[in-house]
């Protein structure tokens, strides 16, 4: 009888750069960071953008919604959702070394009423029907120690992600926008969600591009219409101001930067 293959799990290290601590998976690539003086602050711009789904829900409803992270990283999104948004949150992480590092070096809170931690393969775990239709904000950041392309990146995987979402749910995904794999990834997302459901920011200076994929109508109606129509954008600006005042996130900047992944007149993703 052939033994089941065990996935390679890289060693986990950290490095300090002044007041910023970085997480590494047996390489020089940074998998996440923390401000030692303000552990819940979202250090990287792309991580802040992973919270852009907040633009499409009423701020007062956030504590009644559920977040899920596929990939723990340095725990930045998890800590922000639990400690700042006070939002019920589930995180799925494959590598127990990452979990131990986040507890020991990155101030990850222990599981409790607002936090559930599942050590599992995300691809298999999201096939469990208990999660289907329960997630309002799904945040996907799944890179290995080589950081070349997402570890999970198939049409079937993105279809499984969509199945997790509530009717008004949104998935945010971190991709490297200046690599050929970006176009392959968004094409697969489009097959699972539909082309008009995908919106994006331009790549950050480091090359990270955050893509938003909407399951259906948001609290403000169709997300594409909300972002395109002037009247709707005025209301959205007021919500962005509320997000900035309440949680200190650059939501007005998000509103200016969001654009459709696909040009409505061409089949290819828009370029950076």
């Amino acid at each position: 009888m052939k033994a089941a293959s065990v996935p390679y799990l890289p060693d986990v290290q950290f490095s300090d750069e002044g007041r910023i601590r970085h997480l590494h998976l047996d390489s020089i690539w940074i998998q996440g960071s923390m401000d030692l003086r303000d552990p819940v602050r979202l250090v990287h711009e792309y991580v802040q953008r992973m919270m852009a789904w907040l633009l499409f829900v009423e701020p007062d409803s956030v504590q009644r919604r559920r977040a899920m992270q596929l990939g723990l990283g340095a725990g930045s999104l998890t800590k922000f959702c639990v400690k700042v948004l006070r939002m019920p949150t589930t995180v799925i992480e494959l590598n127990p070394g990452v979990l131990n590092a986040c507890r020991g070096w990155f101030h990850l809170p222990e599981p409790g009423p607002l936090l559930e931690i599942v050590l599992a393969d995300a691809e298999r775990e999201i096939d469990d029907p208990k999660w289907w239709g329960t997630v309002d904000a799904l945040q996907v950041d799944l890179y290995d120690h080589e950081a070349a392309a997402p570890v999970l990146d198939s049409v079937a995987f993105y279809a499984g992600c969509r199945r997790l979402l509530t009717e008004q749910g949104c998935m945010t995904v971190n991709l490297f926008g200046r690599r050929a794999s970006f176009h392959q990834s968004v094409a697969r997302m489009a097959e699972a969600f539909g082309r008009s459901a995908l919106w994006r920011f331009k790549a950050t200076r480091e090359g990270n591009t955050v893509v938003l994929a909407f399951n259906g109508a948001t609290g403000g109606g169709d997300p594409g219409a909300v972002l395109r129509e002037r009247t709707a954008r005025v209301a959205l600006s007021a919500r962005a101001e509320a997000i900035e005042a309440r949680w200190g996130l650059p939501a007005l900047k998000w509103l200016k930067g969001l654009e459709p992944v696909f040009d409505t007149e061409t089949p290819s993703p828009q370029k950076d």
Side-chain angles (χ1 to χ4, degrees):
M1 184 174 180
K2 193 174 181 180
S5 61
V6 178
Y8 168 69
L9 299 177
D11 292 333
V12 184
Q13 302 93 22
F14 75 90
S15 65
D16 287 345
E17 184 179 4
R19 61 186 281 180
I20 304 301
R21 174 166 291 173
H22 304 300
L23 179 76
H24 306 274
L25 297 181
D26 205 18
S27 75
I28 63 170
W29 294 104
I30 293 171
Q31 299 287 339
S33 303
M34 179 184 73
D35 185 334
L36 292 167
R37 298 182 190 173
D38 187 1
V40 298
R41 180 174 77 86
L42 299 179
V43 172
H44 297 294
E45 185 176 23
Y46 84 89
V47 179
Q48 295 171 6
R49 292 175 176 180
M50 295 283 282
M51 303 298 303
W53 58 267
L54 284 167
L55 285 168
F56 302 94
V57 300
E58 289 295 335
D60 288 342
S61 74
V62 168
Q63 292 186 12
R64 300 191 299 274
R65 299 178 183 271
R66 173 166 290 278
M68 176 180 281
Q69 285 97 46
L70 304 185
L72 178 59
S76 300
L77 290 169
T78 302
K79 287 185 296 186
F80 196 89
C81 286
V82 171
K83 291 193 168 187
V84 179
L85 299 183
R86 305 299 300 168
M87 185 179 187
T89 301
T90 300
V91 60
I92 300 174
E93 171 57 47
L94 177 64
N95 190 339
V98 171
L99 176 58
N100 291 334
C102 285
R103 285 173 168 163
W105 304 330
F106 291 89
H107 296 206
L108 184 73
E110 290 296 321
L114 292 180
L115 177 59
E116 181 177 12
I117 299 172
V118 181
L119 270 174
D121 182 327
E123 187 173 30
R124 294 181 181 178
E125 186 65 24
I126 66 174
D127 277 342
D128 190 329
K130 73 179 182 180
W131 303 117
W132 297 354
T134 67
V135 180
D136 298 286
L138 178 65
Q139 296 156 323
V140 182
D141 193 358
L142 293 168
Y143 282 84
D144 63 14
H145 61 295
E146 296 178 344
V151 175
L152 301 177
D153 193 40
S154 66
V155 174
F157 170 67
Y158 291 122
C161 288
R162 184 175 185 181
R163 192 165 52 197
L164 297 174
L165 297 176
T166 61
E167 182 180 354
Q168 297 179 2
C170 178
M171 175 179 74
T172 55
V173 183
N174 172 41
L175 299 172
F176 285 138
R178 298 191 183 120
R179 297 191 177 177
S181 63
F182 172 79
H183 301 286
Q184 298 169 355
S185 296
V186 294
R188 292 164 185 153
M189 282 184 220
E191 192 168 338
F193 281 83
R195 289 160 53 90
S196 63
L198 303 186
W199 288 71
R200 59 167 283 181
F201 295 98
K202 289 193 180 297
T204 63
R205 182 175 52 191
E206 296 78 17
N208 299 84
T209 296
V210 170
V211 176
L212 281 70
F214 295 96
N215 188 31
T218 67
D222 174 69
V226 168
L227 287 162
R228 287 189 179 97
E229 293 175 6
R230 179 181 173 132
T231 303
R233 284 182 73 91
V234 170
L236 214 54
S237 293
R239 185 175 293 169
E241 290 177 356
I243 292 169
E244 293 201 353
R246 186 177 296 200
W247 296 305
L249 294 168
L252 288 168
K253 187 177 179 181
W254 294 343
L255 196 53
K256 295 176 182 177
L258 271 173
E259 61 185 20
V261 168
F262 292 92
D263 189 307
T264 55
E265 297 180 1
T266 64
S268 301
Q270 295 192 50
K271 295 181 179 180
D272 290 323

